[in-house]
Amino acid sequence: MWGGRFAAGPDAIMEAINASIGFDKRLAKQDIDGSRAHAAMLAAQGILTDSDAEAIREGLLTVLSEIEGGTFQFSTALEDIHMNVESRLKEIVGEPAGRLHTARSRNDQVATDFKLWVREQMDAAIAGLTALMQALIGQAEAGADWVMPGFTHLQTAQPVTWGHHMMAYVEMFARDRSRFEDARKRMNECPLGAAALAGTSFPIDRHATATALGFDRPSANSLDAVSDRDFALEYLSTATICAMHLSRFAEELVIWSSAQFRFVTLSDRFSTGSSIMPQKKNPDAAELIRAKIGRILGANVALLTVMKGLPLAYSKDMQEDKEQVFDAADNLALALAAMEGMVRDMTANVANLEAAAGSGFSTATDLADWLVRVLDMPFRDAHHVTGALVKLAEDKGCDLPDLSLDDMHSVNGQITADVYQVLGVHNSVASRMSYGGTAPAQVRAQITRWKETLA
């Protein structure tokens, strides 16, 4: 492909380090889509004859069918997917294949291919997140009234509802989804026609190729179009945040499914056994999801490091942009699908959730709020009185609702029997009616809002 400039071929080691066909063959469909759009535009502009354009179109379809059918022979000597496709096209259609590369470079070609591929991965992530959100909403709807402990520092804090906990992750994954949607809009500019770096002297129609490939517009600066990979970095950054959210939920599922908690039972479909301990049922899917962020974050850091010192425009360093993105996308898609499956299949152990909800003096804040609301006590004083009552209950080996009224009077004589109305976990969650609170009525309102949004 170098023409007459080089008298000898590359060293075997140079060929090995230079070739990318081992991984960029994943861009075959995108490369052929881009070439078909480019050929059609060249013909429409009179740069290519209609007969040559038709031969190229049919030839490219033949190449695609060979690749998809597994009969295509990829060559390392041809370096990358672009030259492999072009070489095979020449074998099929002859001379017209040599005209396809008019008014473009591999620089704008690869940027276009990669953008098309990353855009598809963003769409896949959006679909995966939507399915996961729907699974979480299903769990929330079933358990809008079920009480469970809410934690801070992994210590019992206040009672919440199962539905409220599920909807917390709906909100997190919704933000992930919106980040993918936002990044997709920003990246949807077509590099094709930027050529090597300076554009081209041929009278091309970049708006036509952009439209044909589903882009909103052509990129406005040819140097920028071929030299940046921020669209891939945005994908990886968003994927990293999403993987972090998946990891947090996976950690909770690992804890909740343990013998010490027994909050949930995970289905056999997403669990494994032990080779030596017959009783074991391990939450391996959750554990593997928890680990996926390492690969995805690593890909993000790797590509940032590749790009950080590159002058304009294209440098061969940028060939290192794809493998980590491919790996991250594969693993994010797998993690989303596995989490959706686990959520749909898991069973909440309602009795265990409710028993745990009342432990650890979880209604202490309700008691303090009652002192403020009924006795007009300053909150700091109420906090102190409640703390003393918690200490008393702890010393007596009981929970707050188990203290007698005389016990409470030993700390504050103004407390009345009405206080017991706020010490039950169901009363506690029902009272949290502030917008976004854990009250079942609020949870159902959020479920309705999200069901309408996703519909």
Side-chain angles (χ1 to χ4, degrees):
M1 76 184 79
W2 311 123
R5 173 63 179 85
F6 286 74
D11 185 86
I13 294 175
M14 179 61 197
E15 183 175 292
I17 196 173
N18 193 48
S20 59
I21 189 60
F23 52 85
D24 71 12
K25 60 187 176 184
R26 289 186 69 164
L27 301 177
K29 182 182 181 301
Q30 291 76 19
D31 191 70
I32 290 171
D33 287 346
S35 290
R36 290 178 64 196
H38 184 66
M41 180 275 295
L42 291 178
Q45 294 298 106
I47 302 169
L48 200 65
T49 66
D50 289 340
S51 60
D52 282 351
E54 179 62 16
I56 289 169
R57 187 187 78 83
E58 292 299 324
L60 287 171
L61 289 175
T62 300
V63 174
L64 181 60
S65 68
E66 291 177 353
I67 292 172
E68 291 179 341
T71 62
F72 190 93
Q73 296 297 312
F74 292 102
S75 168
T76 302
L78 292 171
E79 290 191 11
D80 55 32
I81 188 60
H82 322 300
M83 297 311 301
N84 270 263
V85 169
E86 186 175 321
S87 176
R88 178 61 182 139
L89 180 65
K90 185 175 182 180
E91 291 174 355
I92 296 170
V93 305
E95 183 190 32
R99 303 183 186 280
L100 174 59
H101 209 54
T102 305
R104 76 174 183 185
S105 161
R106 283 192 298 173
N107 293 356
D108 62 334
Q109 193 176 355
V110 69
T112 303
D113 293 357
F114 199 23
K115 267 199 173 184
L116 288 170
W117 192 90
V118 171
R119 191 175 69 184
E120 289 179 9
Q121 301 313 304
M122 289 187 175
D123 290 341
I126 291 165
L129 282 162
T130 301
L132 175 54
M133 291 166 65
Q134 289 169 332
L136 287 162
I137 289 168
Q139 284 284 350
E141 198 164 23
D145 295 291
W146 301 342
V147 290
M148 65 175 291
F151 297 96
T152 60
H153 310 279
L154 204 55
Q155 306 292 316
T156 300
Q158 293 176 264
V160 297
T161 54
W162 172 264
H164 194 54
H165 201 111
M166 294 299 105
M167 293 305 293
Y169 282 103
V170 170
E171 295 291 337
M172 293 183 212
F173 293 128
R175 290 193 296 275
D176 293 330
R177 194 177 75 145
S178 71
R179 274 184 280 269
F180 280 118
E181 290 170 339
D182 184 55
R184 191 195 191 283
K185 292 175 185 175
R186 191 161 30 255
M187 72 168 286
N188 209 32
E189 297 182 343
C190 184
L192 195 58
L197 75 162
T200 178
S201 59
F202 289 94
I204 63 173
D205 183 352
R206 293 191 62 209
H207 291 275
T209 48
T211 300
L213 293 170
F215 289 103
D216 295 330
R217 64 192 70 84
S219 53
N221 184 286
S222 59
L223 281 169
D224 172 57
V226 300
S227 68
D228 207 349
R229 294 294 186 267
D230 56 353
F231 62 91
L233 286 166
E234 277 205 88
Y235 171 80
L236 290 175
S237 298
T238 300
T240 299
I241 298 171
C242 181
M244 175 270 294
H245 285 147
L246 288 168
S247 180
R248 293 184 70 186
F249 193 26
E251 168 73 358
E252 293 201 312
L253 294 181
V254 171
I255 293 170
W256 289 357
S257 62
S258 68
Q260 289 69 34
F261 272 72
R262 298 183 186 275
F263 282 4
V264 299
T265 301
L266 300 179
S267 74
D268 291 351
R269 298 197 315 138
F270 292 95
S271 305
T272 65
S274 165
S275 63
I276 189 174
M277 295 170 285
Q279 83 282 9
K280 293 297 293 297
K281 182 178 179 181
N282 300 323
D284 280 7
E287 291 172 1
L288 289 165
I289 290 170
R290 188 174 58 186
K292 291 297 183 187
I293 188 173
R295 298 174 72 142
I296 296 170
L297 173 60
N300 193 16
V301 173
L303 185 53
L304 279 167
T305 306
V306 167
M307 295 300 300
K308 72 171 185 62
L310 300 186
L312 297 182
Y314 181 85
S315 296
K316 193 70 169 182
D317 311 50
M318 291 165 68
Q319 184 167 289
E320 295 294 315
D321 60 356
K322 297 172 196 68
E323 286 180 279
Q324 53 264 37
V325 180
F326 292 161
D327 185 76
D330 290 344
N331 281 279
L332 180 65
L334 186 58
L336 284 169
M339 184 62 83
E340 182 206 347
M342 278 195 297
V343 170
R344 289 194 187 279
D345 283 5
M346 73 180 178
T347 303
N349 300 323
V350 180
N352 291 351
L353 290 169
E354 183 163 343
S359 66
F361 311 107
S362 66
T363 56
T365 305
D366 298 276
L367 174 54
D369 288 346
W370 184 89
L371 294 171
V372 171
R373 189 171 56 251
V374 176
L375 302 185
D376 197 27
M377 190 179 293
F379 182 79
R380 286 300 167 203
D381 294 344
H383 189 285
H384 180 80
V385 169
T386 302
L389 288 169
V390 168
K391 179 66 167 63
L392 178 60
E394 193 172 47
D395 291 343
K396 293 173 74 71
C398 67
D399 206 347
L400 283 173
D402 302 317
L403 290 174
S404 68
L405 190 58
D406 287 340
D407 289 333
M408 294 198 180
H409 284 164
S410 70
V411 175
N412 185 287
Q414 293 180 284
I415 297 174
T416 69
D418 289 345
V419 74
Y420 292 101
Q421 295 176 8
V422 302
L423 295 183
V425 290
H426 287 281
N427 291 333
S428 174
V429 297
S431 71
R432 305 291 170 180
M433 279 294 293
S434 56
Y435 180 82
T438 193
Q442 284 293 324
V443 171
R444 289 193 179 92
Q446 296 300 328
I447 290 170
T448 298
R449 176 175 70 89
W450 273 113
K451 288 175 74 172
E452 292 173 351
T453 298
L454 295 180

